């Protein structure tokens, strides 16, 4: 896990992949059979996971009514390809809805609410991409850890860096910078900011 600090309390804007790692389990595919609010039958090309091998990983739906929603896998039956997850959805996904399974992304920090999901390169087991499900709020720093069932697997850990945005967004940060420039004595400003202030003063003079 790698910590990243932004310019102030804000949301997780992006998650950078520093090292993709290797050996993680995951796949994409479509659900089949008769899904329930907390259990689906998977049918991806690589659904050869052993019993409970993907427990603690995440399953997210990528199409249908529950696109973008999902949960943490609590059980997997190799013989039936049935995945059980929690928390339960408000309703059942439909036969044919897309899904993605990947290691669980855990975001920790001084804010709350951020959530992300990872997809896996099925050839290398490396992290293919990380999508932000919810940016959360009130973060000034954050770290990421990856949770997966590594029993019997040889995993090379990934390294992910969460990038925290400034409080109020970048527009407010730029506005604060302008206010700082305008309220500072000329001698306390950098050369670049002195030039900016003089340009502002010239512009105001022309307007007046």
């Amino acid at each position: 896990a790698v910590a990243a600090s932004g310019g102030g309390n804000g949301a997780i804007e992006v998650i950078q992949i520093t090292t993709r790692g290797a050996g993680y389990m995951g796949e994409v595919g479509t659900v089949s059979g008769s899904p329930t609010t907390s259990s689906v039958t998977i049918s991806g090309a690589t659904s050869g996971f052993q019993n409970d091998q993907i427990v603690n990983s995440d399953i997210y739906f990528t199409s249908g009514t529950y696109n973008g929603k999902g949960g943490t896998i609590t059980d997997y039956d190799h013989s039936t390809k049935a995945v059980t997850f929690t928390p339960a959805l408000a309703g059942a996904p439909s036969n044919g809805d897309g899904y993605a399974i990947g290691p669980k992304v855990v975001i920790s920090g001084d804010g709350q609410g951020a959530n992300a999901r990872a997809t896996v390169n099925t050839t290398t087991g490396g992290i293919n991409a990380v999508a932000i499900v919810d940016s959360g709020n009130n973060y000034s720093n954050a770290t990421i850890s990856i949770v997966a069932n590594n029993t019997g697997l040889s995993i090379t850990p990934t390294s992910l860096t969460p990038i925290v945005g400034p409080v109020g967004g970048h527009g407010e940060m730029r506005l604060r910078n302008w206010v700082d420039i305008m309220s500072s004595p000329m001698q306390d400003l950098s050369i670049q900011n002195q030039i900016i202030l003089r340009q502002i003063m010239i512009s105001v003079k022309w307007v007046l």
Side-chain angles (χ1 to χ4, degrees):
V2 179
S5 180
N9 290 341
I12 305 296
E13 294 188 337
V14 68
I15 295 175
Q16 293 182 344
I17 303 175
T18 305
T19 305
R20 296 187 183 276
Y24 293 103
M25 303 295 289
E27 70 168 25
V28 296
T30 56
V31 301
S32 61
S34 302
T36 71
T37 58
S38 61
S39 180
V40 296
T41 300
I42 59 177
S43 58
T46 58
S47 296
F49 308 123
Q50 299 304 308
N51 285 338
D52 293 339
Q53 194 170 39
I54 51 175
V55 165
N56 296 327
S57 292
D58 275 346
I59 180 169
Y60 278 92
F61 299 98
T62 57
S63 66
T65 303
Y66 297 99
N67 182 23
K69 298 186 180 300
T72 301
I73 296 172
T74 58
D75 186 72
Y76 176 70
D77 189 321
H78 171 73
S79 62
T80 63
K81 297 184 180 180
V83 172
T84 304
F85 58 90
T86 188
L89 301 172
S94 299
N95 186 352
D97 283 355
Y99 69 86
I101 291 174
K104 185 177 184 64
V105 179
V106 179
I107 301 174
S108 304
D110 56 358
Q112 62 276 323
N115 188 18
R117 63 182 178 88
T119 55
V120 173
N121 182 312
T122 56
T123 300
T124 65
I127 301 300
N128 189 52
V130 180
I132 295 177
V133 177
D134 190 329
S135 297
N137 56 69
N138 293 329
Y139 289 93
S140 63
N141 61 78
T143 61
I144 288 183
S145 57
I146 295 292
V147 178
N149 185 350
N150 59 3
T151 303
L153 300 177
S154 177
I155 291 179
T156 300
T158 183
S159 179
L160 306 176
T161 303
I163 304 301
V164 181
V167 60
H170 292 284
E172 183 172 325
M173 181 177 66
R174 286 192 292 268
L175 178 59
R176 290 204 311 271
N177 289 344
W178 281 110
V179 172
D180 290 342
I181 291 174
M182 294 299 294
S183 60
S184 299
M186 181 72 78
Q187 65 270 19
D188 293 342
L189 297 174
S190 66
I191 297 300
Q192 181 179 3
N193 284 342
Q194 288 183 31
I195 294 172
I196 293 174
L197 183 55
R198 287 192 177 96
Q199 290 173 339
I200 293 173
M201 294 171 66
I202 292 171
S203 298
V204 171
K205 181 178 179 181
W206 277 106
V207 171
L208 296 176

